[in-house]
Amino acid sequence: MKKLDESLLTNLPPFRKLDRSQIRQILDAATPVRINAGDAFFDQGDTAEKFFLLLDGHIRVVKMTPDGEQVIALHIASGQLFGIAAGLGKATYPATSVAADECLALYWPNVMWDRFVATYDGFATETYKVVGERLDEMNKRIVEMATQQVEQRVACVLLRLINQAGRKVPDGIEIDFPITRQNISDMTGTTLHTVSRLLSAWEKSGIVASKRSKVTVTEPHQLVLLSGATG
Amino acid sequence: MKKLDESLLTNLPPFRKLDRSQIRQILDAATPVRINAGDAFFDQGDTAEKFFLLLDGHIRVVKMTPDGEQVIALHIASGQLFGIAAGLGKATYPATSVAADECLALYWPNVMWDRFVATYDGFATETYKVVGERLDEMNKRIVEMATQQVEQRVACVLLRLINQAGRKVPDGIEIDFPITRQNISDMTGTTLHTVSRLLSAWEKSGIVASKRSKVTVTEPHQLVLLSGATG
DNA sequence: CGCATGTTTGAAATAGGTCAAGTGGCGTGG
DNA sequence: CCACGCCACTTGACCTATTTCAAACATGCG
């Protein structure tokens, strides 16, 4: 196995305060994994034995209900830690991590978690900051689901996605990974039919453009208006 | 100010591993506060300068939307830390903490947070375990809101409440703090009318009994059935 | 080229929200 | 101690956003 390049980690929040030799140590302890779109790094309920860092690609964090329905709790973009059950005192992963596109990640065994926290200055702080942000995001979703109509929720989700995984293209901002109407409905607690109708309508008004599994927002501002300005 | 009794903290998770002298130190650094039902320890958006431990009473964690609607994110029972923005790298409190009944709490200035984490063994671990549990709970709520109908959501909330703050009474399990239909609707993303209709119906079937601002579940098992078994 | 997967769209059905009106307990102040 | 007013609660009637059902229609991969 060839050595991983140190530049992979240098600029990521959890490792920002570390020097080259520390990063070297961390990398030498890491195992790389690559998975295809649609596959999972781990499943909900699996014993949590490792924690991960996503280097490339996008992950959908999916929860399954007992009766088979699924809900997408959030997305993870490259550069972020995930599967950190270890850090939160959990024995099993609370959700499944499905690759939205081809993904490359590193992982470490859980025993390293405490070591990282103890040894590397800033690792704990930066990490729990990320946890705080996820808490916030989930909070916002709860509020949205509780107070807003479907149209606004879908608008919010698209805005959030272009913020987290948007790529500038000539005619607007494109969501940088494959995403279906069904996916969007799993994020908003609605049906693919309703999402389809909404996107069709928005496409007619020139707010979005979409192909199969691909969405581009052409008029973000219009979408903000539709979203009820909650973000 | 008279000295606080050490037994207050001895059996709470964050302090479980500490000895008497350590607990003494912690208590000596704490300030007690008492607030009335309906008042708030802090408001959403306030600069986060302290973190709290609830000794007695029940708190509603409330988020306000820009347009004045409110959503109850979760409840906090006595013995739990709250307002721990500090530990998650946040500069302001993300929600308002309203007392559901008369509340007694201790607080410490934020600077103590890092000290606690560094000095007291087990404090960080136990605390982040609590964060993990809240994440879980929020997750569950998101899934519920996304997949279940109002009736099931309300059933779930009642079950959760009797778990977290239930008190055995002759005719069932009572929620140990005042709670209105409006409160329940703020927790489930519905209207007080719908909640009222549901409770009326359940009261007719003998599943619950309720007075003004008081709910008792008489047939928890029936409620589990109605909840769709997600919990 | 054909199948699987994703998408569109109409029509019918409904859960639950909105509107409106009224009841009843309870604490306060006279 | 009583009456007043507030606040929580209830209930009916109506209305509509969204889901459900059903049926085609694209698109792209093997």
Side-chain angles (χ1 to χ4, degrees), chain A residues 180-182 192-193 196-197 200 211-213:
Chain A
T180 66
R181 311 287 187 262
Q182 174 75 61
L192 80 160
H193 309 278
S196 176
R197 284 184 236 273
S200 296
K211 309 198 267 301
R212 168 179 259 240
S213 296

Side-chain angles (χ1 to χ4, degrees), chain A residues 135, chain B residues 40-54 59-62 74-77 79-98 105-113 123 127-128 130-131 134:
Chain A
L135 261 171
Chain B
F41 283 103
F42 51 79
D43 283 305
Q44 176 173 353
D46 283 0
T47 312
E49 290 164 338
K50 336 169 180 159
F51 62 96
F52 297 77
L53 174 70
L54 186 61
I59 288 175
R60 280 191 246 287
V61 176
V62 178
L74 45 79
H75 282 85
I76 292 171
Q80 293 187 37
L81 290 168
F82 69 100
I84 55 177
L88 299 169
K90 315 203 70 59
T92 60
Y93 295 112
T96 301
S97 59
V98 180
L106 299 179
Y107 70 81
W108 296 266
N110 269 356
V111 291
M112 300 294 287
W113 182 269
F123 179 79
T127 297
Y128 288 122
V130 170
V131 172
R134 294 216 186 132

Side-chain angles (χ1 to χ4, degrees), chain B residues 130-181:
Chain B
V130 170
V131 172
E133 278 157 23
R134 294 216 186 132
L135 262 171
D136 267 6
E137 185 177 332
M138 290 176 55
N139 246 183
K140 223 190 269 173
R141 291 229 9 228
I142 290 182
V143 171
E144 276 170 28
M145 304 265 277
T147 63
Q148 309 198 292
Q149 316 238 112
V150 170
E151 180 174 40
Q152 303 179 301
R153 299 209 301 269
V154 173
C156 285
V157 161
L158 289 188
L159 288 171
R160 190 167 310 140
L161 287 174
I162 62 175
N163 268 325
Q164 295 175 349
R167 198 173 44 130
K168 261 216 153 114
V169 290
D171 50 335
I173 303 171
E174 173 186 278
I175 295 169
D176 200 19
F177 56 86
I179 186 162
T180 66
R181 311 288 187 260

Side-chain angles (χ1 to χ4, degrees), chain A residues 13-14 29 55 57 84 90 98 131 151-152 156 158 165 167 181 228-229:
Chain A
L55 291 177
I84 54 176
K90 315 203 70 55
V98 179
V131 173
E151 180 173 39
Q152 303 179 300
C156 285
L158 289 187
R167 198 174 44 128
R181 311 287 187 262

Side-chain angles (χ1 to χ4, degrees), chain B residues 148-151 153 189-191 193-194 197 212:
Chain B
Q148 309 198 292
Q149 316 238 112
V150 170
E151 180 174 40
R153 299 209 301 269
T190 179
T191 61
H193 308 279
T194 301
R197 284 184 238 273
R212 168 178 258 240

Side-chain angles (χ1 to χ4, degrees), chain B:
Chain B
M1 183 179 73
K2 70 163 175 287
K3 282 212 167 190
L4 298 156
D5 194 280
E6 289 159 24
S7 67
L8 285 172
L9 302 191
T10 320
N11 287 308
L12 304 179
F15 307 107
R16 197 164 281 155
K17 295 183 179 164
L18 307 183
D19 62 35
R20 295 178 64 83
S21 73
Q22 291 177 310
I23 290 194
R24 189 69 262 156
Q25 284 169 37
I26 289 176
L27 278 173
D28 288 343
T31 312
V33 243
R34 199 199 62 79
I35 68 174
N36 288 318
D39 292 346
F41 283 103
F42 51 79
D43 283 305
Q44 176 173 353
D46 283 0
T47 312
E49 290 164 338
K50 336 169 180 159
F51 62 96
F52 297 77
L53 174 70
L54 186 61
L55 291 177
D56 196 47
H58 296 86
I59 288 175
R60 280 191 246 287
V61 176
V62 178
K63 294 215 95 172
M64 304 287 294
T65 67
D67 47 291
E69 284 188 281
Q70 62 176 53
V71 176
I72 299 177
L74 45 79
H75 282 85
I76 292 171
S78 46
Q80 293 187 37
L81 290 168
F82 69 100
I84 55 177
L88 299 169
K90 315 203 70 59
T92 60
Y93 295 112
T96 301
S97 59
V98 180
D101 45 12
E102 190 177 325
C103 282
L104 179 63
L106 299 179
Y107 70 81
W108 296 266
N110 269 356
V111 291
M112 300 294 287
W113 182 269
D114 291 327
R115 170 119 51 111
F116 280 20
V117 168
T119 315
Y120 304 120
D121 186 40
F123 179 79
T125 314
E126 290 293 337
T127 297
Y128 288 122
K129 199 181 279 188
V130 170
V131 172
E133 278 157 23
R134 294 216 186 132
L135 262 171
D136 267 6
E137 185 177 332
M138 290 176 55
N139 246 183
K140 223 190 269 173
R141 291 229 9 228
I142 290 182
V143 171
E144 276 170 28
M145 304 265 277
T147 63
Q148 309 198 292
Q149 316 238 112
V150 170
E151 180 174 40
Q152 303 179 301
R153 299 209 301 269
V154 173
C156 285
V157 161
L158 289 188
L159 288 171
R160 190 167 310 140
L161 287 174
I162 62 175
N163 268 325
Q164 295 175 349
R167 198 173 44 130
K168 261 216 153 114
V169 290
D171 50 335
I173 303 171
E174 173 186 278
I175 295 169
D176 200 19
F177 56 86
I179 186 162
T180 66
R181 311 288 187 260
Q182 174 75 60
N183 288 331
I184 296 176
S185 71
D186 287 342
M187 277 178 266
T188 47
T190 179
T191 61
L192 80 162
H193 308 279
T194 301
V195 173
S196 176
R197 284 184 238 273
L198 283 172
L199 289 189
S200 295
W202 292 344
E203 186 129 23
K204 274 206 192 72
S205 350
I207 300 176
V208 305
S210 66
K211 310 196 267 300
R212 168 178 258 240
S213 296
K214 207 86 235 187
V215 177
T216 305
V217 177
T218 47
E219 293 288 351
H221 185 64
Q222 290 302 313
L223 211 52
V224 172
L225 293 182
L226 286 172
S227 76
T230 304

